[in-house]
Amino acid sequence: MEKFKNRWEIEQNWQLLFPVIGLSALIYSAFKLSKLFSNQLIINIISTIIITILLVKFTLLLFKKLENKWKVNYKWEMIRIFIVFAITGSSSVFIGRPLIALIGITKENLNPFIYWVLYIIIGLIFYQILLVFYGWLFGQFQFFWNFEKKMLRRFGLGRFLNE
């Protein structure tokens, strides 16, 4: 356990919460993916284990690549950042879908191409808002605010930022 704590620069036990949440979400994602292949219990267990191993290896590769690019004080904060990205992506879909239905935009009454373009635009707007909100909630406001400003500049909206 000490080796794990040293690797992720964990100084207090409460910080172990983020690796536990991250690994739990990874295992759950692997389980959901394995359900796409089969409904048999043994095959699900085996494929969940294989997919989990692959996802962990991929995630650790991402950590290694982003470690120098993202300016964080501790390595365990990267897990927290990944959790924020995951929650934000899911939440923007859950908010965007009912909002589009509330406005009255459906696949049946609109060209499917236009529907999906509007769906993506609305989801993207909520994604930007939720990213900063969840970043604040998880104690990473400054990281996500800088990330958001960079993204807005890339969208050509940098002139609206007060800097």
Side-chain angles (χ1 to χ4, degrees), residues 23-36:
L23 190 59
S24 300
L26 227 138
I27 292 170
Y28 177 73
S29 298
F31 174 73
K32 292 299 269 186
L33 286 171
S34 73
K35 296 280 279 179
L36 295 173

Side-chain angles (χ1 to χ4, degrees), residues 16-96:
L16 285 168
L17 177 69
F18 297 107
V20 168
I21 291 172
L23 190 59
S24 300
L26 227 138
I27 292 170
Y28 177 73
S29 298
F31 174 73
K32 292 299 269 186
L33 286 171
S34 73
K35 296 280 279 179
L36 295 173
F37 302 121
S38 174
N39 284 330
Q40 294 180 352
L41 182 63
I42 299 298
I43 293 174
N44 277 353
I45 292 171
I46 293 170
S47 60
T48 298
I49 292 169
I50 292 169
I51 293 170
T52 299
I53 291 168
L54 292 173
L55 287 175
V56 166
K57 287 186 180 286
F58 178 70
T59 304
L60 290 176
L61 177 73
L62 285 177
F63 280 141
K64 192 177 282 188
K65 296 235 183 240
L66 294 172
E67 190 172 16
N68 297 326
K69 187 175 181 176
W70 290 351
K71 306 292 187 254
V72 293
N73 297 327
Y74 303 102
K75 289 182 182 178
W76 63 267
E77 289 181 310
M78 291 181 64
I79 299 169
R80 190 162 56 172
I81 290 168
F82 272 89
I83 291 170
V84 169
F85 278 123
I87 292 172
T88 302
S90 302
S91 297
S92 66
V93 170
F94 287 125
I95 291 175

Side-chain angles (χ1 to χ4, degrees), residues 81-126:
I81 290 168
F82 272 89
I83 291 170
V84 169
F85 278 123
I87 292 172
T88 302
S90 302
S91 297
S92 66
V93 170
F94 287 125
I95 291 175
R97 188 173 291 152
L99 185 68
I100 279 188
L102 185 69
I103 295 171
I105 300 172
T106 64
K107 293 177 196 172
E108 290 79 30
N109 67 3
L110 199 60
N111 181 325
F113 178 76
I114 296 172
Y115 170 82
W116 285 110
V117 168
L118 289 173
Y119 183 77
I120 290 170
I121 290 170
I122 289 173
L124 197 58
I125 290 168
F126 279 104

